[in-house]
């Protein structure tokens, strides 16, 4: 048996399971990520010499790029799925989670990390920022489903978690860069000039570039897909789902070339395309394609995470590191998430659910890999990977089990059943020309 044979067999079985399991596990307190984590763990326990050694410290670059691709595709799918048009009031829960909950969670988690682990400020900030983004990919029951015609058919919990995850994957980047800058400047000390440069360049300028590029590309592609006079450009009539990948990589690559935040630009692009012709069935075609690719990539990443755990990836985890993950998971995110929603749109049960499902996921691996490649931090890399991996595993298991019963109870309390996707029109509303 050769290594490539094992890879082929696992790839085939994984792809088949990614197609079968979502339906097979529906309405059960078991999530697809849990299955792939367990599969990776069990396979890498087998006495097979062909299995590779999984080491994110040694293979940091591969981890960074694999998770990067997975995140950007998930962001495109999330943006295409959201029916509610962006607005100050309609997205008020999202703005509270982004503008208040995320910075406060990072601040409190960094303080806890410094106290528990005795890490320098840069290391504590890095771990806190890496674990800040939510990731409903790991609990599909708490994110919105396929695009529909109705703009207000999404419950507040699913909408808030999906929109928060779509935006905070990009908005966590300034805090990761702050950790990189802080450890780089440790020899000379942090200065007011450095703080101003971070606020202007890493927060405002790079975030502004992402927004502008995302809107511009989204409008251009939206016009091209739905309204172009030349039929060859009007791709909505060809129903080619892989154009979602084109939009994803164009937005991400162009924004990164301009030194903006590509994650943010991809989500903005998706939302802008969605708004170009909101009722068109082509959105479901693109969303379906990205969802399939996302499931495959997620299966690969989680299978490898399970294998990494089986090979002793948590060996560097101390009880203090585990306690840090538990504090973030059980105390910090739920408390902060609940507080910032007071007097908001969400009702009591919805507020608790939104606060509780602050899921840690694949984005956390990307940020840690990126930062460790950008600077040297005063803590063992294996320990940082162990803490982040433990927190993600905890989130995937507990949230995966809780998602189905919690959302079912919310649906019953709201007097509704989980929304079934409604068919969209394949044409634009009457009275509008498609050129």
């Amino acid at each position: 048996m050769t290594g490539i044979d094992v890879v082929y067999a696992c790839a085939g079985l994984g792809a088949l399971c990614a197609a079968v399991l979502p339906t097979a596990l529906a309405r059960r307190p078991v999530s697809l990520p849990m299955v792939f984590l367990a599969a990776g763990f069990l396979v890498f326990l087998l006495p097979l010499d062909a299995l590779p050694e999984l080491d994110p410290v040694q293979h940091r670059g591969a981890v960074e790029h694999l998770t990067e691709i997975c995140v950007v595709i998930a962001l495109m799918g999330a943006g295409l799925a959201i029916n509610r048009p962006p607005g100050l009031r309609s997205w008020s829960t999202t703005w509270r989670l982004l503008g208040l909950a995320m910075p406060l969670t990072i601040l409190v988690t960094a303080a806890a990390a410094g106290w528990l682990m005795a890490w320098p400020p840069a290391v504590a900030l890095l771990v806190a920022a890496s674990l800040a983004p939510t990731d409903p990919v790991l609990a599909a029951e708490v994110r919105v489903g396929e695009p529909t015609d109705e703009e207000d058919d999404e419950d507040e919990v699913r909408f808030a978690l999906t929109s928060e995850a779509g935006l905070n994957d990009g908005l966590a980047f300034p805090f990761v860069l702050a950790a990189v800058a802080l450890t780089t400047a440790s020899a000379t000390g942090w200065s007011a000039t450095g703080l101003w440069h971070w606020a202007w360049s890493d927060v405002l300028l790079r975030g502004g570039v992402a927004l502008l590029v995302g809107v511009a590309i989204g409008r251009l592609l939206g016009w091209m897909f739905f309204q172009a006079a030349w039929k060859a450009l009007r791709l909505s009539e060809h129903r080619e789902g892989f154009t979602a990948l084109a939009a994803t990589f164009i937005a991400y690559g162009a924004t990164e070339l301009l030194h903006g935040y590509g994650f943010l630009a991809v989500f903005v692009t998706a939302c802008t395309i969605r708004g170009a012709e909101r009722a068109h069935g082509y959105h479901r075609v693109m969303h379906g394609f990205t969802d399939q690719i996302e499931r495959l990539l997620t299966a690969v990443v989680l299978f490898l995470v399970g294998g990494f755990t089986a090979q002793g990836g948590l060996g560097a985890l101390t009880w203090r590191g585990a306690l840090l993950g538990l504090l973030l998971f059980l105390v910090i995110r739920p408390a902060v998430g609940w507080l910032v929603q007071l007097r908001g749109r969400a009702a009591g049960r919805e507020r608790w659910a939104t606060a509780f499902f602050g899921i840690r996921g694949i984005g956390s691996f990307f940020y840690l890999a990126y930062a460790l490649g950008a600077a040297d931090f005063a803590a063992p890399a294996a320990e940082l990977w162990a803490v982040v991996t433990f927190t993600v595993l905890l989130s995937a298991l507990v949230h995966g089990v809780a998602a189905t019963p919690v959302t079912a109870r919310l649906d019953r309390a709201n007097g509704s059943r989980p929304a079934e996707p409604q068919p969209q029109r394949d044409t634009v509303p009457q009275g509008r020309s498609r050129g």
Side-chain angles (χ1 to χ4, degrees), residues 12-373:
L13 288 173
L16 185 62
C17 290
V20 172
L21 290 178
T23 303
L25 298 177
R27 307 298 174 201
R28 290 177 173 84
V30 179
S31 67
L32 188 65
M34 294 168 62
V35 173
F36 284 113
L37 284 170
F41 186 84
L42 293 175
V43 168
F44 277 82
L45 284 179
L46 297 175
L48 299 176
D49 295 334
L51 293 174
E53 186 72 23
L54 301 178
D55 184 0
V57 178
Q58 181 180 355
H59 305 294
R60 183 206 59 80
V63 173
E64 178 184 344
H65 294 304
L66 177 60
T67 54
E68 181 180 32
I69 293 173
C70 190
V71 170
V72 295
I73 292 176
L75 291 174
M76 176 58 65
L80 291 173
I82 292 177
N83 299 318
R84 192 181 303 183
L88 290 178
R89 297 187 64 182
S90 60
W91 284 43
S92 60
T93 305
T94 307
W95 309 137
R96 289 166 179 253
L97 292 172
L98 292 171
L100 296 175
M102 188 176 72
L104 286 174
T105 299
I106 292 174
L107 179 63
V108 177
T109 304
W115 172 63
L116 277 172
M117 309 296 295
W119 282 336
V123 178
L125 179 59
L126 170 62
V127 172
S130 297
L131 290 171
T134 57
D135 187 4
V137 170
L138 298 191
E141 293 82 359
V142 294
R143 61 176 181 176
V144 299
E146 290 184 326
T148 69
D149 283 346
E150 302 298 327
E151 295 182 357
D152 57 353
D153 67 345
E154 299 157 339
D155 66 83
E156 195 65 21
V157 174
R158 291 182 176 92
F159 165 77
L161 289 169
T162 305
S163 56
E164 179 196 11
L167 288 168
N168 70 6
D169 265 318
L171 297 179
F173 228 130
F175 297 96
V176 174
L177 293 178
V180 171
L182 190 58
T183 195
T184 303
S186 58
T188 58
W190 189 262
S191 65
T193 302
L195 181 62
W196 167 249
H197 179 270
W198 173 80
W200 162 246
S201 177
D202 293 340
V203 178
L204 297 177
L205 184 59
R206 299 184 70 169
V209 168
L211 290 173
L212 290 174
V213 174
V215 170
I217 292 178
R219 288 186 175 179
L220 176 62
L221 293 179
W223 167 83
M224 176 180 168
F225 291 169
F226 303 107
Q227 298 164 356
W230 189 18
K231 188 175 181 179
L233 289 179
R234 202 162 59 240
L235 294 175
S236 59
E237 297 188 2
H238 303 284
R239 305 183 67 83
E240 300 285 2
F242 66 83
T243 54
L245 288 183
T248 300
F249 294 129
I250 289 172
Y252 188 75
T255 306
E256 291 291 322
L257 285 173
L258 294 173
H259 303 289
Y261 294 127
F263 287 171
L264 179 59
V266 169
F267 184 74
V268 172
T269 297
C271 291
T272 306
I273 293 174
R274 183 80 173 91
E277 198 64 77
R278 194 165 292 277
H280 203 291
Y282 188 50
H283 294 297
R284 290 187 68 188
V285 175
M286 291 190 292
H287 176 267
F289 187 86
T290 58
D291 182 64
Q292 293 173 7
I293 301 299
E294 176 191 329
R295 270 188 284 151
L296 286 173
L297 291 175
T298 301
V300 171
V301 172
L302 294 178
F303 182 84
L304 295 176
V305 171
F308 170 64
T309 307
Q311 290 183 345
L314 298 183
L317 182 70
T318 64
W319 71 266
R320 293 177 181 272
L323 180 58
L324 175 63
L326 287 168
L327 281 175
L328 171 63
F329 180 79
L330 297 175
V331 179
I332 298 174
R333 160 67 191 207
V336 172
W338 184 83
L339 285 172
V340 302
Q341 295 180 80
L342 290 175
R343 297 181 176 273
R345 289 173 59 98
R349 288 188 180 93
E350 294 176 328
R351 191 180 306 141
W352 278 114
T354 304
F356 173 69
F357 284 110
I359 300 161
R360 312 300 142 185
I362 293 173
S364 298
F365 296 132
F366 167 78
Y367 281 123
L368 183 60
Y370 172 88
L372 292 178

